[in-house]
Amino acid sequence: MRKLICAAVAASVLVASCTSASDESAEGLGRQDTSAVGSAGSAADDDAGAAEPGPPDDETADAEPDPDETAGAASASATTTTTTEPFFPGTEDGRPFLELNLLEKIDEFLELPNTAFAANVAGEMGLSGDQRWVAWVMDIMRTGGSRNVSDTSMGALERLTGIESSGDFNTDYVRYGSWYRSHGVDPGEGYEVFKQELYAYLDFRFGDMLAQVTDRVTLGAIQFGGVRRGGIPELNNPERLTPAEADFMTDDELVLGFVIGGEAGAYPVRFLARHELANDIVGGMPVALGYCTLCLTALMFDRRLPDGSEITFQTSGLLMDSNKIMIDNETESLWNHLSGTAFAGPLAGTKLEQYPVATVRWADWLADHPDTFTLDTPPPTYFAEMPERPPIAYDYTPDAAYRSYYSSEDLWFPTFETPDVFELKEEVVTIDRNGLALALGLAELEDMGPFVYVLGGEPLVIVPNRGGARVYSAADVAEVPAAAWRHGAPVEVAPGGVLHDELRVNGVDGRNRVDLRLPRIVSSQSFWFAWYGLHPDTEIWPPVAQN
């Protein structure tokens, strides 16, 4: 059995190897960077912990260190003399580490994880020229702990991919990770054990989670998101308010609106941007709203399984393609947030039903749904099992969460290489229907009135609103001939006819003035990179000009 060893070595050990499994302080207040060895603390940046994944530099890390985590390293520092030669801890059988072959070095690294071993292993992988090692080096780079590890990893990845290193950790982490994702190189035999044991040092539960992933290429794409399991605390049956009671809400702030079982509700985006998950009961239905801050996507799922049982969700602490991976508490299955499908664990292959969600201004939602409920400001999160740990209290000011991420064009985590039809973080309205996918540029929709888009022969009516769009199906409408629903035709909506569940239409293309009621279908919104990663064959609107 592998041993968790807190060795007093000149090179610091991986951050979690000297941390008890119950210590959640590295989670901070969101996506706190825990890759910097000896510096994982509870301090938050202006994004309340939504820190970028690097660089892992124990000399420049600005997070406040946990005294328990740094005590061993501090003691080692006081007794270590300066040397020009790198110090390598001894192996269990006394053989010099540098005389081992690569596979033996990997084994020793997992037995005693430290930055000296990590840098040497990554460097040797790079010198091999074998691209199977790309995923391995990415994992070392993400978890590995020091400037030396990151620099060596970047050099190794430059050799393996042929892509010149920028010298910047965050840029290269995304660049090389996206190369791996797009090329789909099999990491080869032994990778499963390596990944499981390495990630178990970050959170002992990660090992069991990753053991469920049967495809090695998929396993290589999974990245540590910066928090342990449950590190971003979900909202469970959150407290509700009437609109009159919610006097802190502003007219222009965005909410995530829904009507389920005849009950209207609106979750303020500023709350979900901090908690990312809400398990709730709406209209008598067990539901979960997942909000991926990195891909800017809100989806409302039915928590009932085909056998009638119910599940609840937590943040897993893992990401894939810069997209949230959820875990259910009942079966420990892993779920792709964007697709609502379990991809690992006992429920693998299960797809959850969805309800439509509108991203809309609070004033607009309230005008259409005066009987809506909204949420009370969530209380601080306390940790009963760790009474010594300070509670988490977020800044819920509108637009405060992930401010630096949204103001930059850069990603924080790898994804598929994405065509520049839109900017990586450009918002698109998305439809996944009958095996076909569509992405509509939100910026272009803002200047549009309701219009027809024919997707795979099915006429859809797109109704833009400030902040998003609703989509309704015009299929099987006997009162209007099929030819009337021509692609791009304008649609005349009846006064007050844009409802959450249906659309009342007076006319199509200036003709056929009859009263129609069209049912709403599920659509969503996301950043372009996230949608393309899941739907590379998507249709695009506005159409891309052909040269």
Side-chain angles (χ1 to χ4, degrees):
M1 175 180 289
R2 300 289 181 191
K3 300 183 292 294
L4 294 178
I5 305 172
C6 293
V9 294
S12 302
V13 295
L14 283 167
V15 60
S17 64
C18 289
T19 306
S20 68
S22 63
D23 181 5
E24 301 290 315
S25 64
E27 292 155 10
L29 302 181
R31 295 196 188 282
Q32 177 94 3
D33 175 21
T34 59
S35 62
V37 265
S39 64
S42 59
D45 67 358
D46 64 337
D47 284 333
E52 297 175 72
D57 187 348
D58 47 3
E59 295 179 358
T60 61
D62 57 5
E64 182 180 345
D66 186 313
D68 294 334
E69 292 180 7
T70 57
S75 174
S77 177
T79 60
T80 301
T81 58
T82 303
T83 176
T84 57
E85 295 296 326
F87 171 76
F88 285 90
T91 60
E92 284 198 323
D93 59 6
R95 288 187 299 165
F97 180 82
L98 294 180
E99 294 181 5
L100 305 179
N101 64 41
L102 179 54
L103 294 180
E104 291 172 331
K105 287 180 177 179
I106 293 171
D107 192 62
E108 290 295 336
F109 168 59
L110 292 175
E111 193 73 34
L112 178 60
N114 61 84
T115 58
F117 286 1
N120 185 273
V121 168
E124 190 164 335
M125 288 175 173
L127 291 172
S128 74
D130 187 346
Q131 291 183 334
R132 68 166 288 213
W133 298 116
V134 168
W136 303 62
V137 178
M138 285 293 302
D139 291 330
I140 292 173
M141 181 179 180
R142 177 66 177 118
T143 62
S146 73
R147 178 61 61 185
N148 184 38
V149 174
S150 63
D151 288 347
T152 305
S153 298
M154 290 187 286
L157 292 167
E158 180 179 80
R159 286 176 175 270
L160 294 173
T161 65
I163 300 173
E164 183 177 0
S165 170
S166 70
D168 175 74
F169 178 94
N170 296 314
T171 299
D172 280 5
Y173 175 65
V174 172
R175 175 183 294 172
Y176 293 126
S178 297
W179 180 95
Y180 167 78
R181 192 62 171 128
S182 297
H183 286 74
V185 178
D186 188 338
E189 185 178 351
Y191 179 68
E192 301 95 324
V193 173
F194 170 81
K195 182 108 176 189
Q196 292 162 24
E197 296 196 5
L198 182 63
Y199 269 52
Y201 284 108
L202 300 172
D203 183 331
F204 74 98
R205 295 164 292 188
F206 284 167
D208 291 336
M209 288 185 206
L210 295 175
Q212 302 179 101
V213 182
T214 57
D215 180 74
R216 283 196 297 250
V217 175
T218 300
L219 184 63
I222 294 175
Q223 300 291 315
F224 176 46
V227 298
R228 299 181 177 96
R229 176 174 173 172
I232 300 175
E234 74 280 2
L235 299 174
N236 293 304
N237 300 310
E239 293 295 322
R240 300 178 178 183
L241 297 177
T242 66
E245 292 170 327
D247 55 3
F248 56 85
M249 298 283 286
T250 66
D251 287 348
D252 289 333
E253 73 171 279
L254 293 178
V255 297
L256 306 170
F258 45 85
V259 178
I260 300 173
E263 185 176 22
Y267 292 165
V269 167
R270 54 167 142 159
F271 296 166
L272 268 296
R274 296 301 191 188
H275 293 273
E276 299 194 0
L277 269 171
N279 296 297
D280 207 347
I281 303 288
V282 180
M285 305 295 182
V287 296
L289 191 141
Y291 186 74
C292 178
T293 49
L294 294 171
C295 55
L296 207 66
T297 305
L299 300 171
M300 180 69 83
F301 301 108
D302 190 326
R303 292 192 282 110
R304 294 173 298 180
L305 299 175
D307 65 2
S309 61
E310 299 176 10
I311 55 178
T312 56
F313 289 102
Q314 266 193 322
T315 292
S316 70
L318 303 173
L319 303 170
M320 184 163 60
D321 303 328
S322 197
N323 172 35
K324 185 181 188 69
I325 294 177
M326 306 184 298
I327 185 168
D328 71 74
N329 295 305
E330 288 69 26
T331 76
E332 307 283 303
S333 298
L334 300 179
W335 298 76
N336 183 306
H337 166 258
L338 277 179
S339 68
T341 303
F343 68 91
L347 296 178
T350 303
K351 185 176 179 65
L352 298 174
E353 295 295 324
Q354 292 186 37
Y355 297 98
V357 177
T359 302
V360 62
R361 294 170 65 250
W362 168 239
D364 294 337
W365 179 259
L366 187 57
D368 292 337
H369 304 278
D371 59 344
T372 188
F373 72 82
T374 189
L375 299 186
D376 197 359
T377 302
T381 301
Y382 291 87
F383 299 87
E385 71 281 9
M386 290 187 293
E388 74 284 357
R389 181 182 175 186
I392 294 178
Y394 293 97
D395 176 4
Y396 291 116
T397 305
D399 300 321
Y402 288 70
R403 184 183 298 116
S404 65
Y405 178 69
Y406 297 138
S407 64
S408 167
E409 296 179 356
D410 298 328
L411 302 183
W412 285 356
F413 294 91
T415 184
F416 283 97
E417 295 173 351
T418 307
D420 59 358
V421 176
F422 300 106
E423 298 296 329
L424 283 174
K425 290 183 184 175
E426 187 167 344
E427 289 185 68
V428 291
V429 173
T430 60
I431 301 165
D432 182 356
R433 191 162 175 83
N434 301 323
L436 298 173
L438 171 64
L440 304 104
L442 182 59
E444 289 81 2
L445 285 176
E446 291 180 352
D447 298 325
M448 296 288 294
F451 67 98
V452 175
Y453 190 101
V454 179
L455 180 65
E458 180 183 14
L460 305 176
V461 177
I462 315 296
V463 183
N465 59 261
R466 285 182 288 182
R470 294 181 173 97
V471 182
Y472 304 83
S473 175
D476 303 321
V477 178
E479 296 92 337
V480 178
W485 302 106
R486 66 177 181 84
H487 191 72
V491 176
E492 181 181 321
V493 176
V498 183
L499 305 177
H500 187 78
D501 293 327
E502 68 176 15
L503 179 72
R504 292 180 52 229
V505 175
N506 283 339
V508 182
D509 201 14
R511 302 174 295 174
N512 304 297
R513 300 190 62 79
V514 293
D515 183 12
L516 301 179
R517 295 176 181 268
L518 309 180
R520 187 175 177 192
I521 67 170
V522 173
S523 60
S524 187
Q525 292 175 215
S526 74
F527 285 142
W528 164 236
F529 79 82
W531 180 252
Y532 177 81
L534 199 62
H535 301 279
D537 297 324
T538 186
E539 293 186 24
I540 303 296
W541 183 93
V544 179
Q546 300 295 323
N547 295 329

